[in-house]
Amino acid sequence: MELKAEEASVLSILPPQPQWAYIRGGYGAGGIRIFDGSTGKMRGEVDISNRGDMAIDPAGKYYYVSDTIWTKADRGTRQDFVAIYDTTALKLQIEIPIPGRIIIGGEKQNFIVNDDGKTAYAYNYNPQSSVNMIDLQKRKFVRAIELPGCASLIPNPAVGFSALCSDGTMVTVDTTSAKSKITHTASFFPASGDPIFSNFTYDKTKRQTTFISYSGLVYQATMGAAPVVTAPFSIQAAAGVRPGETKPLNVNWLPGGRQIMALHRPSGHLYVLMHKGEFWSQNEAGEEIWDLDIANKKVVKRRPLKLPASNIEVTQDATPLLFINDKEGNLYVLDAHTMEEKRKVEKTGGGLIITADVGTPAAPLPAATPAPTGSAGS
């Protein structure tokens, strides 16, 4: 019998879907695996090292990866770049060289894409704190912006980006002109006394960022040229229990884990991993999920977990799914409304979880202030 020659083929997948989960392999394991939450099936894998960060194009056309490699594995000539992959064939489109980037696992805010998908920002520490600005339309590095004492990047579509700082302020960087303009808010949290978790959430439909502190204080900031931060409230008080404190040897319910909260933007419900412990136990995995209705400042549901979880994310559709993973790298898919477990998927990865928020309109930008008539140069 004559054997036919084998022919190579390339399969394609759908662009990012609302109920897909993008899961990091965890420490020591590269790749971001794509799982369909509605079936538990793996759909593909984005090529990324265990040192890289990923963001999804708001239009759903590209996956952006900020990564670092060396010519001899972990030594030799270092190369830092932003790689662009299309979302249906997962094919590399281009690599954009950048002058450096910070290498640290478990953070979502080291690499962000603005709401319009035109600009990316990559946090760098070479030789000091700075941010690399990348034009994703022209596919080129624009400039590095020195930002001493600040990190954890936040999209700020009105001007550029913002970040949290070690003095308890929020810095805003206006990148709309050739020379960046940098301004700070007043200090609104005690960075050394009750820090804010760096894996916070951002809502592009409201241009609003939600933070939570180690003691359980919930802050919200409306982004803009001069961000406005609301007075915080206690998530423990919202659940009808004693508010969190910073005193030592005081056991209470506290937020903890790596990716400790997830916001369902359409409903305004914040899902937070909570554990019993003392202050400064913020790395302890969550023993319960608390469902916080932010607008009403009320915890409406508490869901004990069979095994502790360090990462949580939620889909942004009308029937949202919650994703959590344990230290063994198993993924649990829950109905976000009822907290009922729908399925368990083994060995998916123990790192951060991303969901796609594509096709959701961003909040309109404020109208530009017209220049006064009769002024010089008009």
Side-chain angles (χ1 to χ4, degrees):
M1 184 177 69
E2 183 180 357
L3 297 176
K4 293 183 178 180
E6 184 177 354
E7 296 181 3
S9 63
V10 177
L11 298 177
S12 62
I13 62 173
L14 292 171
Q17 298 297 299
Q19 294 200 331
W20 283 4
Y22 299 77
I23 304 174
R24 293 295 305 267
Y27 293 110
I32 291 184
R33 298 160 185 84
I34 307 171
F35 287 88
D36 186 338
S38 63
T39 64
K41 301 296 185 182
M42 183 174 172
R43 296 302 181 193
E45 182 173 341
V46 182
D47 188 17
I48 181 173
S49 77
N50 64 325
R51 300 174 291 264
D53 301 302
M54 191 187 88
I56 301 175
D57 169 30
K61 295 181 179 179
Y62 303 106
Y63 296 126
Y64 300 113
V65 172
S66 172
D67 214 337
T68 301
I69 60 173
W70 286 263
T71 53
K72 296 181 178 179
D74 58 355
R75 57 192 174 90
T77 303
R78 173 172 168 165
Q79 301 172 63
D80 300 275
F81 55 88
V82 171
I84 302 178
Y85 296 89
D86 76 274
T87 56
T88 54
L90 303 182
K91 182 179 179 181
L92 178 66
Q93 304 294 300
I94 193 173
E95 289 180 353
I96 305 171
I98 56 177
R101 53 178 292 275
I102 195 167
I103 301 174
I104 182 171
E107 300 294 333
K108 292 182 70 175
Q109 267 70 37
N110 286 339
F111 179 57
I112 62 171
V113 173
N114 246 343
D115 295 354
D116 58 11
K118 296 179 180 179
T119 311
Y121 299 99
Y123 183 59
N124 187 21
Y125 202 91
N126 181 28
Q128 61 184 3
S129 178
S130 64
V131 176
N132 294 321
M133 179 179 176
I134 302 103
D135 187 323
L136 296 175
Q137 290 187 307
K138 296 180 180 179
R139 298 186 170 183
K140 68 175 186 177
F141 167 76
V142 179
R143 63 181 179 270
I145 303 159
E146 290 189 6
L147 208 62
C150 304
S152 298
L153 309 181
I154 311 166
N156 195 334
V159 287
F161 70 94
S162 295
L164 295 179
C165 301
S166 58
D167 59 0
T169 67
M170 185 189 303
V171 66
T172 295
V173 182
D174 186 336
T175 61
T176 57
S177 57
K179 186 176 181 181
S180 301
K181 179 183 177 182
I182 299 176
T183 56
H184 286 258
T185 66
S187 179
F188 66 94
F189 71 98
S192 59
D194 188 14
I196 282 174
F197 282 92
S198 57
N199 284 327
F200 41 78
T201 68
Y202 171 71
D203 182 351
K204 68 182 180 183
T205 64
K206 299 176 181 176
R207 289 194 292 121
Q208 196 170 67
T209 305
T210 302
F211 312 96
I212 193 165
S213 76
Y214 287 9
S215 74
L217 292 178
V218 180
Y219 300 80
Q220 286 196 300
T222 300
M223 309 309 296
V228 177
V229 184
T230 62
F233 66 91
S234 163
I235 188 173
Q236 295 94 334
V241 301
R242 178 167 50 91
E245 297 182 53
T246 60
K247 297 176 182 178
L249 305 178
N250 189 351
V251 176
N252 196 0
W253 282 104
L254 295 169
R258 295 297 300 174
Q259 183 181 351
I260 57 105
M261 63 181 185
L263 176 66
H264 184 242
R265 300 169 185 89
S267 67
H269 281 237
L270 187 73
Y271 300 91
V272 184
L273 293 174
M274 303 289 291
H275 71 284
K276 270 288 188 72
E278 301 175 40
F279 190 67
W280 295 120
S281 63
Q282 70 277 356
N283 291 326
E284 293 294 324
E287 301 167 16
E288 290 189 0
I289 302 172
W290 288 16
D291 176 359
L292 172 66
D293 180 341
I294 298 178
N296 294 313
K297 299 180 181 179
K298 183 177 179 60
V299 171
V300 296
K301 195 178 273 82
R302 293 173 56 175
R303 207 272 195 188
L305 298 175
K306 298 175 185 176
L307 294 172
S310 289
N311 302 295
I312 186 169
E313 189 53 280
V314 65
T315 65
Q316 299 302 313
D317 52 333
T319 55
L321 298 176
L322 274 174
F323 300 113
I324 58 172
N325 54 16
D326 60 27
K327 65 179 182 179
E328 302 298 328
N330 299 313
L331 177 70
Y332 299 87
V333 184
L334 312 179
D335 182 308
H337 292 315
T338 65
M339 297 281 192
E340 176 189 1
E341 182 178 319
K342 298 179 74 69
R343 60 188 51 85
K344 173 185 175 182
V345 189
E346 297 183 349
K347 305 301 181 183
T348 59
L352 294 182
I353 308 170
I354 301 172
T355 56
D357 187 16
V358 297
T360 304
L365 297 179
T369 304
T373 58
S375 59
S378 63

